[in-house]
Amino acid sequence: MCEAGAYPFNLVIIGAGVGGHGAALHAVEKGLKTAIIEGDVVGGTCVNRGCVPSKALLAVSGRMRELQNEHHMKSFGLQVAAAGYDRQRVADHAENFATKIRNNLTNSMKSLGVDILTGVGTVVGPQKVKYGKVGGSETVFTAKDIIIATGSVPFVPKGVEVDGKTVITSDHALKLETVPEWIVIVGSGYIGLEFSDVYTALGSEVTFVEALDQLMPGFDPEIGKLAQRVLINPRKIDYHTVVFASKITPAKDGKPVKIELIDAKTKEPKDTLEVDAALIATGRAPFTQGLGLENINVETQRGFIPVDERMRVIDSKGKLVPHLYCIGDANGKMMLAHAASAQGISVVEQVTGKDHVLNHLSIPAACFTHPEISMVGLTEPQAREKAEKEGFEIGIAKTSFKANTKALAENEGEGIAKLIYRPDNGEILGVHIFGMVLGTRIQDIKYAVHAHPTLSEVIDELFKSAKVKNEVSSPVAEPVAV
């Protein structure tokens, strides 16, 4: 048990999202007297306006998609009447699910003795924090260590006017107040792709507006190409690439939403779209205003709080701010909820005396479309660039769900699994699945036993198909901190 000593708390966390929650639970497990400050609601973006309610909507879209596929149902010998839905009840399902998870998170912290302090948290000096309601009384106290975990908000580009009704962000879309006949989604990353799955299943037509020259630019190109063939082309989706939405005006006085497109390279006007709604899915921006960073000489970089590989905050002179850490979207290293939680756990390990550096390349990501996409590590272009720079060869192994018993039993044979590795020592550089493990060796994984029949057998086949030159190989390089 760690004693707080002269400090009321061993650890104070500003922000009770998934990152702050994960850090708090691990801190209590380690014997730290812990407080968490939350100015909004427990659960942050993920639970209230992100991962959790979106998965509830995607669960609905998946079932709708299956019921609407008459050929698929008949292949099982099933006859299904025309599928329909109640928009309000679908919206209620998402909201109720978020409420349930939020209450679970709150209760888990309370039951373990975490002090939940309601109000806006601000750093007022070294190891010193204040919190309170805006315009109300404030409380100042000290803490041995402080973690900033304030997360992010939807990023809205210049020229876009959000009214929350016809021009919306993911925050609004998750409420599902309407299902527009025709909606433009600006951005074709994880957020845009998942919402296209929801909207098309519920009957909307979707148009993507993407600034880069291909849809799904963050995905491995081969996976992205297959995903486009399955998730985009057969559905009521069209797209414009290499364009910016330079101006978006909400619907008003009977006029539709107006979207002005310009060439992403030349900035010349390209087209004008008039649609029922527009969803801005251009990523997220760190929420770091009002934290009192000026009190400790810290300057944000593009809004992000600068940190080192151990999540320690760096001031404007390049020096570490003692006992101050920042995790999650606010530091910009990897804007995923589970990455924030992993960073929080890593920080707690450090403040309790164990040095720990998180390998971000080992953190997986997923897009919960139908079918889903998952990935970890490097894409093939990234791996080839690394191989050329460091002087080694890469190997590519692939396998298909078309030969998987479980997938065929469900008539879901579309999809592949792809492994990128080093043939010289078996190091896994990346795994991409459409239809995880990193910093280890193929030799160690290929002997793993997988239950049959399961979809995980695709991974078994994938690793067994990789050709490693030396069965007893040189050690895998230490994970690289990023």
Side-chain angles (χ1 to χ4, degrees), residues 13 57 68 127 140 172 249 413-414:
I13 303 163
L57 295 182
Q68 290 167 344
Q127 299 175 287
V140 179
H172 310 106
T249 308
E414 200 77 69

Side-chain angles (χ1 to χ4, degrees), residues 310 312 346 349-350 353-357:
R310 289 174 174 80
R312 297 177 295 191
S346 178
E349 288 292 298
Q350 294 170 57
K354 181 181 178 182
D355 190 32
H356 188 275
V357 177

Side-chain angles (χ1 to χ4, degrees), residues 22-89:
L25 296 194
H26 195 58
V28 171
E29 183 182 325
K30 290 287 188 176
L32 301 182
K33 183 166 176 52
T34 304
I36 195 163
I37 301 171
E38 178 53 61
D40 187 14
V41 287
V42 169
T45 294
C46 175
V47 172
N48 299 288
R49 301 174 296 279
C51 332
V52 170
S54 68
K55 300 312 162 285
L57 295 182
L58 284 160
V60 173
S61 71
R63 284 163 175 78
M64 278 295 294
R65 209 169 283 288
E66 191 167 18
L67 292 170
Q68 290 167 344
N69 191 335
E70 186 179 355
H71 175 74
H72 184 71
M73 289 289 102
K74 282 184 175 179
S75 70
F76 290 114
L78 299 176
Q79 295 178 346
V80 180
Y85 67 91
D86 181 321
R87 182 201 58 78
Q88 187 58 55
R89 293 187 70 175

